[in-house]
Amino acid sequence: MTTETIPAPRSSYTPPRKRRVNWEKWGWLYMRVSGLFLVVLIFGHLFVNLVSGAGVRAIDFAFVAGKWADPFWMVWDTLMLVLALIHGANGMRTVTNDYAHRPILRKTLLGAILVSTVVLLVLGILVIYTFDPCPSNAIAGTLPAFCKAH
Ligand code: HEM
């Protein structure tokens, strides 16, 4: 009885790899692009609040109320909130993946980052778009003086 060895095939069939979204690549890109926007948004915010006009002494409840009565600053602050929160959360995800080696700890931390980011995003956006400095049901005497003009 002769034993024959079957020669190795010249080309083996490899099933085509499924094209998946490369989230790591998009996350990397997001950090750079959001960073560029954040430089303008954060330094613009600091300049308007602390330097221009009467500077830091002008900041009080009325100053914030005035800014959020203007759609321009509502959109500015929304962009700053959304871009910075997702940027910070994605950065913390990277740090967690680098340093938390135990799977249970890693998953817990990533879950906590996700939950806190979503909660802060929802609360922050709600505050910007529902803020009313002179609510009609306020307790008498608790409203700022400028509400009398309403
Ligand atoms: C002036 C605006 C900002 C710019 C230009 C900027 C830029 C960057 C860039 C390019 C990275 C990626 C670094 C890397 O992959 O090695 C990064 C990472 C990070 N950023 Fe920002 N960022 C800004 C603001 C912020 C803010 C406001 C926060 C917090 C909410 C933040 C939190 C983080 C964190 C936690 C990381 C991860 C650090 C790490 O991987 O070691 N950044 N930032």
Side-chain angles (χ1 to χ4, degrees), residues 31-32 35 38-39 42 84 87-88 91-92 94-95:
M31 294 307 274
R32 271 85 195 154
L38 284 172
V39 171
I42 293 173
H87 177 105
M92 287 310 294
T94 309
V95 175

